[in-house]
Amino acid sequence: MDKLNADENNSLLEQLVIGNEDAFNQIYYQTNKNIYNAVMAYVKNKHIAMELVQQVYIKLWNNREKLKNVRSLKDYLFIVAKNLTLDHFKKVTLETTFFGELSLRENEPVSTIDEKIEQIEYDKLLMNAVGQLPPQQREAWLLINEQELSYAEIAIKMNISKLTVKRHLELSRKSVRDYLKSHIYTVITLPFLSILIIFFS
């Protein structure tokens, strides 16, 4: 990051604002290592850190026309990285709460006719959400949620790497979450609806 002196900073920003891809590439190659190290210090996961760094530079390019008044490219990039990292932790916290509520809901006793009907409808909804997943994502989902296998066991069973297992599960969870978001209002009670409103707001 310190490789950019004030003159270079101003020159590259001016070129970036008008859409010069060479200027963007130069900024990326001169700054991405420090941005990665800063993000990695918080997330402690190289794959997540790489994804967040990628988002930083996507945001830089997409917002290039708004950078005319930016004085310090270094400060701007670190602020964007910080905000994206905070958003990541918020998302992880909310997702953990959301799936925790789903798990609790699945294990609660069903005592009334209305609750039994609601439980049946919810189970059907979850089954539909899982059923629309691509084959490998669906298999990974079922192996971890129904057979409770570890990443390593799933990798062996599916003959893929643990990293690929992780990616399949991330994609499947997002798809199931999005499906439930679109359909779950027809089967949930008001207390549970309030949880979802908080999660998806």
Side-chain angles (χ1 to χ4, degrees), residues 7-197:
D7 291 337
E8 284 181 307
N9 180 87
N10 293 334
S11 176
L12 289 173
L13 271 176
E14 289 174 1
Q15 291 300 310
L16 178 63
V17 168
I18 62 176
N20 187 311
E21 294 184 12
D22 289 336
F24 173 82
N25 290 334
Q26 190 173 345
I27 290 170
Y28 174 80
Y29 287 117
Q30 292 187 23
T31 62
N32 78 88
K33 184 176 180 180
N34 282 354
I35 294 297
Y36 171 84
N37 289 337
V39 173
M40 185 65 176
Y42 289 97
V43 300
K44 310 297 184 183
N45 182 301
K46 65 180 181 179
H47 300 295
I48 294 174
M50 289 171 65
E51 289 180 4
L52 290 173
V53 170
Q54 184 178 22
Q55 291 177 39
V56 169
Y57 290 95
I58 289 173
K59 195 175 186 70
L60 176 68
W61 178 256
N62 289 341
N63 292 339
R64 61 189 182 279
E65 294 180 359
K66 302 176 183 179
L67 303 179
K68 295 178 181 179
N69 297 322
V70 170
R71 293 186 177 182
S72 172
L73 183 58
K74 172 182 175 180
D75 290 345
Y76 176 83
L77 290 172
F78 272 116
I79 290 171
V80 172
K82 180 191 74 172
N83 290 338
L84 287 172
T85 303
L86 290 174
D87 287 345
H88 164 74
F89 282 119
K90 289 177 184 177
K91 179 181 176 182
V92 169
T93 300
L94 290 172
E95 185 170 315
T96 300
T97 301
F98 176 69
F99 282 104
E101 291 293 339
L102 290 185
S103 178
L104 288 173
R105 182 180 176 79
E106 289 175 347
N107 295 324
E108 287 176 352
V110 181
S111 57
T112 68
I113 296 298
D114 286 343
E115 288 173 339
K116 287 179 181 179
I117 293 172
E118 182 181 300
Q119 184 67 55
I120 290 170
E121 290 302 317
Y122 168 74
D123 290 342
K124 286 167 57 179
L125 186 62
L126 184 58
M127 189 186 310
N128 289 340
V130 175
Q132 52 85 41
L133 295 172
Q136 284 200 308
Q137 289 181 33
R138 181 168 61 251
E139 184 177 0
W141 170 280
L142 294 173
L143 288 173
I144 200 167
N145 288 288
E146 293 192 357
Q147 298 188 31
E148 299 182 349
L149 299 185
S150 67
Y151 278 28
E153 290 170 328
I154 295 172
I156 293 172
K157 193 173 185 65
M158 295 182 65
N159 195 28
I160 56 179
S161 69
K162 287 193 290 185
L163 180 59
T164 303
V165 170
K166 179 177 180 292
R167 184 58 177 162
H168 282 324
L169 289 172
E170 287 174 346
L171 293 172
S172 65
R173 285 168 182 155
K174 181 180 186 304
S175 294
V176 169
R177 184 171 64 247
D178 291 345
Y179 187 95
L180 292 177
K181 178 182 176 183
S182 301
H183 297 83
I184 204 165
Y185 295 97
T186 60
V187 298
I188 58 179
T189 58
L190 287 177
F192 195 65
L193 175 60
S194 65
I195 295 169
L196 289 179
I197 290 173

